[in-house]
Amino acid sequence: MADATILEPALPASAAKPAAYRKLLRNMGVVFGAAVITIVLLMGLFAPWLGTIDPTAINPIARNKVPGTEITIRTDTGERIKMIAKLGTDGLGRDVYSRVVYGARVSLFVGITVALISVACGLFIGLLAGFFRVLDAVIMRIMDGLMAIPAILLAIAMVSLFRSSVWTVIIAITVPQIPGVVRLVRSIVLSVREEPYVEAAVTLGTSTPKLLWRHVLPNTVAPMIVQGTFICASAILIEAILSFLGIGVPPEVPTWGNIMAAGREVFSLFPHNIIYPGVCLALTILAVNVLGDGLRDTLDPKMMKRV
Amino acid sequence: MSMYGYLFRRLLGTIPVMLVVAVFIFLMLRLTPSDPAAIIAGDNATTEQVAQIRSQLGLDRPMIEQFVIWSGRVLTGNLGESFFFKKTVAALISERIEPTLSLALFTILIAVFVAVPLGVLAAHRHGSWIDRIVMSFSVLGFSVPVFVIGYLLIYLFAVYLNWLPVQGYQRISEGVGGWAQRLILPSVTLSVIYIALIARMTRTSVLEVLSEDYIRTARAKGQSERKVMFRHALRNAAVPIVTVIGLGVALLIGGVVVTESVFTIPGLGRLTVDAVLARDYPTIQAVILLFSFVYVMINLAVDMIYTILDPRIRY
C-alpha cells in the first residue's frame, strides 16, 4: 500500500485505471448515486414513450384533479381519448405525471451544463492565477468579492438582467460557482509547483503551456470530477429554487421547480403538485451528492481535508 | 500585535472585498439591456421625457463618474428610490428588516442548539447507529430543497394536525406570543440545512480532538465522560465549528429568500424576489449589497471570536 502511494505519480494514468474502477464499484454511494442518476437520465431521454402526453397542453375542463382521476384529452388530430391522470393535474389542467417525467430533462441538463461550464472556467482562471503572480492578486480579489455575495442571491440578481430562458438560468447559476473552483485549482497549482518533478521540468526549460498541460492539469482531474459533481447537485437545487420563486425557467416549460410553483396556491387542497416533483428533486439531488461523497472518498481522499 | 490592531487591519481588509462587490453590482445592473429611465418614465412617455429622467438620474454621464456618485450616496445611506414601490429604498429595507432578522435569529438558535449536541453525540458514539443516523440526516438535509421541507411541515403541522398557523407573520409589537408562534415552522424549515452543515462539522472536529493526548489524560484522571466531551473536546473543537456557522450564513441568506416566499413573510427575502419580478434595480442593488455586507461582517466577527475561544491564537 505504501509503495503504491509513493509510486503513483510515476505510473502512467492507464495503469491506475482498472484499480480505480474496482474501488469505485465497491463504494455503495457511487453505485447508489450512479444507479439513481441513470434512471432519472433514462426517464428524461425516453419521456415521450413513457405514457406521457404533451406536458404543456392546457386542459380547462380537467383542472386540479387528484391523482388517479380519469380525464378526457384532445389529441392533435382532434380525437378525444380518455386517460387516467396518474399523478393528477395542476391548476391549468396539465398532466402532472407528464410534467414530472419531462422535468427530469431540464433538471439534469441544467445540472450537468452548469457543472461543465463552471469547472472549465474555474480551471482556466485558476491555472492563470496559480501560475502567474501578476494576475494572481487581481484574480483572487475579484473572486473574494464574488464569494462575498451569497450564491442564490447572486443567481437571483443575474436572472433579473436578461429575459427568462434556460440559458439565462444556466449562466446565473454558473457565475457564483466559479470562484470556488478557482480557489481549489489555484491551491492545487500552488502545491504542485513545489513538487520536484515540476521543478525539474522548469529547469529543463519546458514551456509554460506544456508544463500546465503535462504536469499540472492531470493533478486537477480527480478533484474537478468531485467538485463538478457537487456543483451539479447545487445547480439542480438552485434551478428548482429559481423556478419555484417564479424567476427561473419560463413557467410553461416543465421543470420540477415550475410544477411546484404552479401548485403553490392550492397546496393545502392538492398537495400532489408539490409532493411528486419534490420527491423526484430530493432523490436526484441526494443521488448526486452521495455520488460526489463516494467519488471523493475513492478518487481523492486527501481532498476531505482540503475543502 | 494587539487584538485591536488586528481588528483594524481586518476591517481595512474588507474594503477591497466590498469594493469588488459594489463594482460588480453596479456594472451588472448598468449592463442590462433594459433602460431604467424608460422604466421610470412609463409606457406613455415621450423621448424627451425619458432623456430628461436620464439626465436627472445622471445616467448620461461617464460610467466612472456614475460609480463614484453612486458609491458616495450608498456610503451616506442614500440607497436611491425604488422604481416599483415608489419609496426610498432605505425606508423599504427598514420596514422589511424585522421579519428577516427574527427568522434568522430563531433559525441560528435552533440550529446551534440542535446541531452541536447531535455532532458531539455522533462523534462520541463514532461508528454506532446514532452516528449513522446523524450522518444520513446531514446528507439528506443538503439534498431536500428548503421549500419542499417547508411545504411538508406546513401540511403536517398546520393543515393536518392544525397545531400552528399556515403562513404569515405577526410583528413583535403586536404580541410576542403570536410572533413566536408564527416563526416556529419557518425557522425549523430553514434550520434543517444549517443543522446538517453544523452537525457534520462538529462531528469531524470533535472526532479529531478526541484522538489527542490530553483527552486520554482527562479520562485517565477519572473525569466524567460528560466533562470530557463538553469541557475538553468541544472547547478545543470550537474553532472549525464557529467558522462553519459563519460561512453557513450564506446558505441561511439564500434560504431566507425561499422560506419567506413559502411562508409569505414580508421580509427582505420576499422583497428581493418581488424586486426581481418588477425589475426594480435600485432595490435589487441595495438588498444584495446589504446581504453581502452582513455576510462579510459576520465572518469578520467569527475571526475575532477565535481569540476568545482559543487563547493560543495570537495575531
Side-chain angles (χ1 to χ4, degrees):
Chain A
M1 203 50 217
D3 287 357
T5 43
I6 294 167
L7 286 175
E8 210 170 31
L11 280 171
S14 56
K17 255 180 195 163
Y21 261 129
R22 252 176 279 138
K23 243 205 238 164
L24 279 177
L25 284 176
R26 248 183 277 137
N27 186 301
M28 279 297 290
V30 173
V31 174
F32 167 79
V36 173
I37 295 164
T38 311
I39 293 171
V40 177
L41 201 65
L42 291 176
M43 186 165 103
L45 279 177
F46 295 106
W49 299 280
L50 291 173
T52 56
I53 57 169
D54 178 6
T56 56
I58 291 171
N59 191 353
I61 50 166
R63 294 166 54 212
N64 289 324
K65 294 289 181 235
V66 293
T69 313
E70 194 180 57
I71 56 167
T72 312
I73 53 158
R74 199 192 278 265
T75 59
D76 294 335
T77 50
E79 281 175 275
R80 284 166 188 277
I81 36 171
K82 283 189 176 0
M83 63 167 283
I84 305 269
K86 293 180 207 58
L87 304 183
T89 62
D90 68 5
L92 295 173
R94 293 174 296 199
D95 182 38
V96 173
Y97 169 73
S98 306
R99 288 179 74 75
V100 168
V101 172
Y102 274 95
R105 288 185 172 184
V106 181
S107 284
L108 285 182
F109 178 70
V110 170
I112 293 168
T113 314
V114 169
L116 290 177
I117 301 178
S118 42
V119 164
C121 294
L123 255 179
F124 181 70
I125 304 173
L127 287 177
L128 286 183
F131 240 87
F132 303 102
R133 289 260 159 89
V134 197
L135 292 174
D136 189 35
V138 179
I139 291 178
M140 291 324 284
R141 286 300 80 69
I142 296 175
M143 292 302 139
D144 286 348
L146 278 183
M147 280 185 118
I149 310 175
I152 292 179
L153 221 53
L154 185 51
I156 288 177
M158 301 218 38
V159 161
S160 74
L161 300 183
F162 310 101
R163 197 169 313 156
S164 79
S165 75
V166 176
W167 282 101
T168 303
V169 170
I170 287 175
I171 294 169
I173 301 174
T174 304
V175 172
Q177 303 293 339
I178 292 175
V181 184
V182 171
R183 273 199 182 179
L184 183 60
V185 174
R186 177 176 172 271
S187 75
I188 295 169
V189 174
L190 290 183
S191 65
V192 169
R193 243 171 42 171
E194 305 302 315
E195 297 282 340
Y197 59 88
V198 174
E199 277 177 20
V202 173
T203 322
L204 287 174
T206 315
S207 69
T208 308
K210 204 171 177 186
L211 196 73
L212 290 174
W213 182 256
R214 273 257 188 90
H215 300 292
V216 180
L217 214 56
N219 281 291
T220 61
V221 172
M224 285 304 108
I225 292 175
V226 175
Q227 193 71 5
T229 313
F230 288 130
I231 290 176
C232 177
S234 50
I236 294 176
L237 184 61
I238 297 177
E239 183 277 318
I241 286 175
L242 293 178
S243 299
F244 172 79
L245 292 174
I247 53 184
V249 182
E252 67 279 3
V253 179
T255 77
W256 293 334
N258 275 342
I259 304 169
M260 287 186 264
R264 270 164 80 179
E265 304 298 324
V266 289
F267 165 71
S268 46
L269 292 170
F270 307 105
H272 62 266
N273 279 327
I274 302 264
I275 289 170
Y276 296 116
V279 167
C280 286
L281 188 60
L283 201 62
T284 307
I285 298 169
L286 181 71
V288 181
N289 271 331
V290 169
L291 176 69
D293 281 338
L295 287 175
R296 181 189 57 199
D297 295 347
T298 43
L299 292 180
D300 189 20
K302 277 180 291 180
M303 191 156 130
M304 291 178 79
K305 291 216 167 137
R306 200 154 53 210
V307 176
Chain B
M1 177 171 262
S2 77
M3 182 156 162
Y4 292 107
Y6 177 69
L7 176 66
F8 183 68
R9 263 195 304 139
R10 283 300 313 270
L11 270 174
L12 282 182
T14 60
I15 294 174
V17 173
M18 285 314 296
L19 195 69
V20 171
V21 173
V23 169
F24 192 78
I25 292 170
F26 176 81
L27 280 182
M28 202 166 75
L29 298 180
R30 282 295 178 284
L31 296 176
T32 52
S34 51
D35 180 0
I39 298 179
I40 296 176
D43 294 334
N44 303 322
T46 61
T47 327
E48 289 81 47
Q49 279 171 317
V50 174
Q52 197 194 343
I53 292 174
R54 187 172 294 135
S55 74
Q56 260 175 21
L57 292 173
L59 293 174
D60 49 354
R61 293 185 209 173
M63 205 70 114
I64 294 179
E65 201 184 323
Q66 283 188 47
F67 178 72
V68 172
I69 295 171
W70 177 73
S71 32
R73 284 198 195 133
V74 168
L75 285 175
T76 53
N78 179 356
L79 296 167
E81 186 115 359
S82 157
F83 296 167
F84 179 68
F85 297 94
K86 305 289 176 207
K87 285 181 190 178
T88 64
V89 176
L92 207 54
I93 286 177
S94 63
E95 246 170 50
R96 303 287 196 110
I97 208 160
E98 186 201 297
T100 303
L101 266 184
S102 316
L103 177 61
L105 285 179
F106 257 64
T107 305
I108 293 174
L109 280 180
I110 295 176
V112 171
F113 278 99
V114 172
V116 172
L118 270 186
V120 172
L121 195 67
H124 180 51
R125 304 218 174 275
H126 177 50
S128 73
W129 60 271
I130 298 179
D131 187 20
R132 246 172 265 154
I133 287 178
V134 172
M135 287 309 284
S136 316
F137 172 81
S138 158
V139 180
L140 207 63
F142 276 117
S143 306
V144 185
V146 68
F147 51 94
V148 175
I149 300 170
Y151 279 112
L152 287 179
L153 291 179
I154 292 180
Y155 196 72
L156 187 62
F157 291 102
V159 178
Y160 187 72
L161 293 171
N162 209 3
W163 287 353
L164 291 162
V166 177
Q167 283 165 328
Y169 177 77
Q170 187 179 326
R171 292 200 169 263
I172 196 166
S173 53
E174 293 164 32
V176 177
W179 169 76
Q181 198 192 23
R182 278 161 198 276
L183 277 173
I184 295 173
L185 278 186
S187 30
V188 169
T189 302
L190 186 51
S191 66
V192 169
I193 190 168
Y194 214 27
I195 291 175
L197 184 74
I198 300 171
R200 185 187 267 207
M201 185 47 92
T202 307
R203 174 183 174 273
T204 314
S205 180
V206 170
L207 266 183
E208 212 159 277
V209 171
L210 282 181
S211 62
E212 298 279 345
D213 288 341
Y214 54 80
I215 297 291
R216 198 186 50 207
T217 310
R219 281 185 176 145
K221 74 177 183 187
Q223 191 84 281
S224 76
E225 198 56 29
R226 177 187 295 262
K227 272 192 179 163
V228 170
M229 292 311 292
F230 285 93
R231 187 175 293 174
H232 296 274
L234 188 57
R235 253 195 98 167
N236 284 289
V239 169
I241 299 173
V242 175
T243 308
V244 91
I245 293 175
L247 291 175
V249 169
L251 279 181
L252 190 68
I253 292 171
V256 159
V257 178
V258 182
T259 312
E260 288 185 354
S261 293
V262 171
F263 289 92
T264 55
I265 297 171
L268 290 176
R270 187 63 230 170
L271 179 67
T272 315
V273 178
D274 288 340
V276 169
L277 285 171
R279 297 286 192 268
D280 185 357
Y281 295 120
T283 312
I284 302 175
Q285 275 181 333
V287 175
I288 293 175
L289 258 182
L290 179 71
F291 274 133
S292 305
F293 181 71
V294 169
Y295 180 49
V296 169
M297 284 301 136
I298 286 177
N299 282 292
L300 180 63
V302 162
D303 282 4
M304 293 297 130
I305 294 174
Y306 289 167
T307 44
I308 302 165
L309 286 175
D310 192 344
R312 284 170 303 187
I313 296 178
R314 292 261 173 270
Y315 302 103

